[in-house]
Amino acid sequence: AIESKDYFQQNLRDIYERGENMKKMKNMRKIVLILTSIALIILSLTACGKSPKVSDTTPSGHEQPEAKSYNVGICQLVQHEALDAATRGFRDALTDKLGDRVKFDEQNANGEPDISATICNQFVSSGVDLIMANATPALQAAQTSTNRIPILGTSVTDYGTALDIDDWTGKTGKNISGTSDLAPLDQQAAMLHEIFPDAKKVGIIYCSAEPNSKYQDKVITEHLTGMGYSVKSYTFSDSNDLQTIAKAAISESDVIYLPTDNTIASNTEIIKNIALPAKVPIIAGEEGICSGSGGVATLSISYYDLGYTTGEMAYEILVNGTDPATMEIQYAPKFTKKYNPDVCDTLGITLSSEYEAL
């Protein structure tokens, strides 16, 4: 009986202890459940308060890249009115489309092809996304510096001549495209003939170091000789020779034609000081040269618009991935007859109402 009593008491203690342990376990489970619920509530509140990142993913779940910024190098051969306007138009076009996502490194070569080469090599070393080359020597320097970085030219007369491409098709087939400032030379010759039908001798002045000036000389000479003029070309190698050559040309000609030549554009005052006192009229390839040299008239383009078109082409290359090798060279859509009122008054020349005053 005593053993049975002890056994029974021991069992009661065991049952009691097991019951207490079970209570503790239930309490622990309740605590865990409560804590878990609190954590879930906090997470859900956080998620509700967080705005979705629209730009992080596309509908297909792929990550969207952040808006890219671009570095563009501008190599301008020399500072004068036409090239300055083209550079300004280029910058404005890209800024209009990209805002502060585009940065420009604009440098001027002061008329020196060797400096153009140095500038373009620096652009390549710094890893710019695109090079804009303003004028033919700048374009040639850019071409030599890289066959990988996209290049756009502007204020370039003939790309086939500038890049030494014989079978010219309108596309370079290289990492190069751009815009041309070539005015229709047949119409320039026709304008000269319209204003000076009785002239006999036409002198053409240009810098022999500029291949596109040679091209213009060749083409317009053919048109003028076909109209019955005697045409002679007067070339100079740099600005130091210009005064001597200009004196010879003006003394031997009835009319002077000045093509879109960068060296002339930078030294128009030299020609003006010789031509105006001699009362020899000038027809110029663009309005900046016409104004500066004391020219009578020009069939001109807007270099600002030309540069702006170049900037739009740059946007297509940078943002949309267009290959410049496949892009047609673009030409100015509009040509305007303009005249210099003061010079016309001095020389006693009256022009029709279709000419706009410079």
Side-chain angles (χ1 to χ4, degrees):
I2 292 172
E3 287 177 357
S4 298
K5 181 181 178 182
D6 291 339
Y7 176 79
F8 178 73
Q9 289 177 341
Q10 181 64 41
N11 282 343
L12 283 176
R13 283 195 297 269
D14 292 340
I15 291 170
Y16 177 80
E17 289 175 358
R18 283 198 295 270
E20 289 297 311
N21 288 334
M22 289 178 67
K23 286 180 182 179
K24 290 178 181 179
M25 290 176 66
K26 286 181 180 179
N27 289 337
M28 287 298 295
R29 282 199 296 271
K30 287 180 181 179
I31 293 171
V32 170
L33 287 172
I34 291 169
L35 291 175
T36 302
S37 299
I38 292 171
L40 290 172
I41 291 169
I42 292 171
L43 287 172
S44 64
L45 289 173
T46 304
C48 291
K50 184 179 180 181
S51 299
K53 294 172 69 176
V54 176
S55 62
D56 286 350
T57 58
T58 63
S60 61
H62 296 297
E63 289 188 359
Q64 283 272 38
E66 292 184 5
K68 184 179 177 181
S69 295
Y70 303 94
N71 294 310
V72 174
I74 298 175
C75 178
Q76 180 174 318
L77 175 66
V78 68
Q79 185 174 6
H80 64 68
E81 184 177 339
L83 299 191
D84 291 349
T87 293
R88 190 167 64 254
F90 176 79
R91 291 176 60 116
D92 286 353
L94 274 181
T95 303
D96 287 347
K97 290 181 175 294
L98 295 173
D100 58 5
R101 290 169 53 202
V102 61
K103 299 288 187 276
F104 299 100
D105 183 357
E106 182 179 340
Q107 299 195 40
N108 193 295
N110 297 316
E112 298 292 337
D114 289 345
I115 298 178
S116 294
T118 300
I119 291 169
C120 291
N121 286 331
Q122 289 173 349
F123 289 157
V124 174
S125 297
S126 63
V128 297
D129 298 298
L130 182 141
I131 297 173
M132 193 279 266
N134 194 347
T136 298
L139 179 67
Q140 292 170 327
Q143 178 194 24
T144 302
S145 69
T146 179
N147 60 5
R148 178 181 55 83
I149 297 172
I151 298 169
L152 286 177
T154 193
S155 313
V156 175
T157 304
D158 180 66
Y159 281 75
T161 301
L163 302 176
D164 197 23
I165 301 174
D166 294 328
D167 53 341
W168 179 244
T169 63
K171 303 174 186 176
T172 68
K174 307 171 187 272
N175 58 318
I176 301 171
S177 189
T179 56
S180 169
D181 64 351
L182 178 63
L185 293 170
D186 57 339
Q187 294 182 41
Q188 298 236 16
M191 184 178 68
L192 187 150
H193 186 259
E194 172 195 342
I195 301 173
F196 305 108
D198 299 326
K200 303 297 183 185
K201 297 181 289 185
V202 177
I204 302 176
I205 305 174
Y206 69 92
C207 180
S208 59
E210 298 196 29
N212 279 317
S213 297
K214 293 180 183 179
Y215 171 82
Q216 293 173 80
D217 172 63
K218 177 179 180 295
V219 174
I220 202 166
T221 295
E222 292 173 357
H223 291 300
L224 290 172
T225 53
M227 295 173 179
Y229 293 104
S230 172
V231 182
K232 182 176 179 180
S233 299
Y234 297 84
T235 64
F236 60 95
S237 58
D238 56 43
S239 59
N240 296 324
D241 302 328
L242 177 55
Q243 185 167 12
T244 301
I245 296 301
K247 283 181 178 179
I250 289 166
S251 66
E252 298 171 3
S253 306
D254 300 320
V255 183
I256 295 293
Y257 178 76
L258 301 177
T260 54
D261 183 289
N262 289 295
T263 310
I264 286 177
S266 301
N267 297 275
T268 53
E269 195 73 18
I270 293 174
I271 297 174
K272 180 179 180 179
N273 291 338
I274 300 169
L276 274 183
K279 296 196 173 185
V280 175
I282 293 171
I283 298 295
E286 61 92 13
E287 63 182 88
I289 292 176
C290 188
S291 296
S293 66
V296 170
T298 181
L299 181 64
S300 189
I301 65 172
S302 167
Y303 275 82
Y304 177 86
D305 291 345
L306 197 70
Y308 199 95
T309 298
T310 314
E312 293 176 325
M313 295 174 73
Y315 177 83
E316 290 300 317
I317 293 170
L318 293 170
V319 178
N320 296 328
T322 305
D323 184 356
T326 66
M327 300 176 78
E328 293 272 0
I329 300 300
Q330 300 295 305
Y331 294 83
K334 181 182 177 183
F335 304 95
T336 306
K337 287 184 175 181
K338 294 190 176 184
Y339 77 106
N340 193 327
D342 293 338
V343 173
C344 286
D345 289 344
T346 300
L347 300 180
I349 297 171
T350 301
L351 299 179
S352 66
S353 59
E354 66 179 328
Y355 285 82
E356 296 180 8
L358 286 167

